[in-house]
Amino acid sequence: MAAPGAADKAIVAPEEFARLMAGFGPWEKAPRLAVGVSGGADSMALVLLAHGWARERQGEVVALSLDHGLRAGSAGEAGRVAEWLGRRGIAQHTLAWTGPKPKSGIQAAARAARRQLLGRWCEAGGILHLLMAHHRGDQAETLLIRREDASGPDGLAGMAADLATPWGRLLRPLLTISKARLIATLTHLGQEWIEDPSNLNPAFARVRHRQALAERPGAEVALAREAIGYGQARVERERAVADLLARSVRVLPEGYLWLDPGTLASVPEDMARAALAQILRVVGAPARRPRGKAVARLLDALLIERLGAGRTLGGCRVAPRSGRVLVSREVGTVLDDCPLALGTMLWDRRFALVFGEGATHQGWRLARLGHGAAAGKRHPIPRAAVAALPAVHDLDGVVALPHLSYVRSDLPAGACPSTIRFTPPQGLTEAEFRVASPGSRGI
């Protein structure tokens, strides 16, 4: 493939950026956007383009910068960004990443901290759209990293252009745009930017891939196109898995589900594996996706009816029950044990409980029920699922069991929360993977 030509170094004009943003529409009137801005060329170009786009629509942009505290000059860099953007009438806020930093995997940890802090700020500010400046080169590097890690086809789809979050959307409008074009855009606008020295450190895998790509003209474009192809295949696969789950699973508000194993046996293995992995994420709410090989082993045992008394994976217990499969929370992995608090409590990453003033008492705690605590109480919930339910405890034992409307006889009914909802961080079907539009110049 030929080396990038003049077209790959042309500025990103407002009209082209408007076409990129139209792919995420329809937009509300006077849209409010947040933009993650490190001060590098990528994010500075994005915030200026987004500012012009929003202003034409009577909207506004807020720039959010992270002071990660990893370099002595990070606070000063955030201040410089604030000064530059202030001259252009763009509001800027600096968020600090405080607390201990990991000794290894620092770049991944910094990215995770940045997304968490930016998301919290957007949620508190009522902003539904957070723009990030990942570009074509970032997408190509991501593909190389995931290929190196033997990622499956979903991973090779790269970064999604539109990612649903609990508070709104994370958007990446520049995934088909080269960094050279973003630098050209800043030069055209007369805007400076900051060069992060860590972007030149070959100790980081992403930097090594970036340097290798620079020596292979045309490789970045080819990889970006490859990611689009994998992304389009992922969309079709996710739709098929969603249909499979709708036909084979019944989710209960007590945080467990019933699975018809026959439906998994009737579809290709990769689809059945994806469906089972999704089920484990809903019921177990693990911090990380279950490993693919472990899911494959569990699926094999399920399909040949060799689950025995049950197997565990991803915070779940998977057990056969009269021709069906019960997937419930693995009791031993429920670690949440915390004092009761007024208002909404998120427990075990899966249940939202709302307590009023009459439901609090000194020494009351919210913890798992445990085995045997509800003996003698008639209910339709399987015993394995009951043991993992949230219960209010005091020093003498169980005070209340909200899901069974149980309150100890010496206490008022107010010991139960006013509401309790099963709200796992991952739904049974995911928001559809959004592929970057291949229509932009350079792709």
Side-chain angles (χ1 to χ4, degrees):
M1 187 175 291
D8 204 36
K9 297 179 182 178
I11 69 167
V12 181
E15 297 78 14
E16 181 180 0
F17 187 74
R19 289 196 298 272
L20 292 171
M21 292 294 283
F24 300 109
W27 292 89
E28 64 271 31
K29 293 181 179 179
R32 297 177 66 225
L33 313 174
V35 182
V37 183
S38 66
D42 320 334
S43 59
M44 287 299 297
L46 176 60
V47 72
L48 297 188
L49 289 166
H51 175 60
W53 179 88
R55 188 171 52 187
E56 285 188 359
R57 291 157 180 79
Q58 291 75 51
E60 63 175 323
V61 159
V62 177
L64 303 178
S65 303
L66 179 66
D67 176 10
H68 46 62
L70 299 176
R71 298 194 314 275
S74 62
E77 290 174 356
R80 202 182 325 166
V81 170
E83 181 182 352
W84 284 337
L85 297 182
R87 295 175 191 164
R88 294 179 179 269
I90 302 173
Q92 186 270 0
H93 295 269
T94 300
L95 313 178
W97 181 24
T98 58
K101 309 296 190 297
K103 294 182 179 179
S104 61
I106 189 65
Q107 282 199 326
R111 286 192 294 270
R114 177 180 62 179
R115 179 181 293 189
Q116 184 180 59
L117 288 168
L118 297 184
R120 286 178 180 173
W121 195 95
C122 289
E123 183 174 27
I127 289 183
L128 302 178
H129 317 288
L130 171 63
L131 275 57
M132 302 297 286
H134 299 108
H135 53 75
R136 193 180 71 191
D138 295 320
Q139 186 74 299
E141 293 160 16
T142 297
L143 196 67
L144 290 176
I145 290 170
R146 293 184 180 177
R147 183 181 291 167
E148 194 174 66
D149 292 341
S151 176
D154 283 0
L156 295 177
M159 293 180 282
D162 183 344
L163 186 65
T165 75
W167 49 263
R169 300 190 299 166
L170 188 153
L171 307 178
R172 299 182 175 106
L174 303 179
L175 283 179
T176 56
I177 304 296
S178 70
K179 181 163 186 171
R181 296 191 63 201
L182 299 176
I183 290 176
T185 301
L186 286 183
T187 302
H188 173 74
L189 296 172
Q191 177 59 59
E192 299 176 81
W193 64 90
I194 296 168
E195 294 288 356
D196 183 347
S198 67
N199 288 333
L200 302 175
N201 186 350
F204 300 120
R206 188 169 287 275
V207 174
R208 293 195 299 273
H209 286 301
R210 185 175 305 146
Q211 293 171 343
L213 284 171
E215 298 173 358
R216 296 165 53 200
E220 180 182 302
V221 172
L223 286 166
R225 287 175 176 165
E226 189 175 342
I228 288 173
Y230 276 113
Q232 291 168 338
R234 176 174 173 174
V235 170
E236 294 302 316
R237 187 165 51 252
E238 286 182 351
R239 289 174 180 170
V241 169
D243 177 70
L244 172 64
L245 289 167
R247 291 186 286 111
S248 61
V249 171
R250 180 184 173 214
V251 182
L252 282 300
E254 294 83 12
Y256 68 98
L257 60 79
W258 290 107
L259 167 65
D260 174 8
T263 55
L264 296 190
S266 66
V267 299
E269 183 180 344
D270 62 335
M271 188 183 301
R273 196 162 55 239
L276 183 57
Q278 192 71 359
I279 287 169
L280 297 174
R281 293 174 68 197
V282 171
V283 176
R288 296 183 178 180
R289 291 173 181 261
R291 296 181 66 85
K293 290 182 179 179
V295 175
R297 287 194 296 269
L298 178 60
L299 177 64
D300 287 343
L302 188 155
L303 294 180
I304 63 176
E305 299 183 2
R306 290 191 179 178
L307 288 174
R311 299 197 181 192
T312 59
L313 180 63
C316 298
R317 182 169 187 80
V318 182
R321 292 288 189 278
S322 303
R324 296 185 295 173
V325 172
L326 171 66
V327 183
S328 57
R329 187 77 165 91
E330 184 184 0
V331 179
T333 62
V334 179
L335 301 178
D336 276 8
D337 184 341
C338 51
L340 244 59
L342 296 178
T344 301
M345 295 185 65
L346 181 63
W347 184 82
D348 193 32
R349 288 167 46 88
R350 307 185 316 134
F351 290 105
L353 303 94
V354 180
F355 287 94
E357 291 189 18
T360 60
H361 189 279
Q362 188 174 4
W364 283 5
R365 303 186 65 80
L366 192 62
R368 69 188 183 194
L369 176 62
H371 293 290
K377 178 72 174 177
R378 298 186 63 181
H379 54 77
I381 308 172
R383 183 180 301 177
V386 170
L389 291 177
V392 180
H393 297 253
D394 66 6
L395 295 178
D396 296 322
V398 176
V399 171
L401 184 56
H403 280 104
L404 301 184
S405 300
Y406 165 77
V407 179
R408 204 168 64 198
S409 59
D410 60 326
L411 295 169
C416 275
S418 58
T419 61
I420 180 168
R421 292 182 296 113
F422 179 47
T423 56
Q426 177 61 59
L428 191 60
T429 56
E430 297 182 278
E432 188 172 283
F433 186 83
R434 188 74 173 267
V435 183
S437 169
S440 298
R441 188 181 307 184
I443 299 289

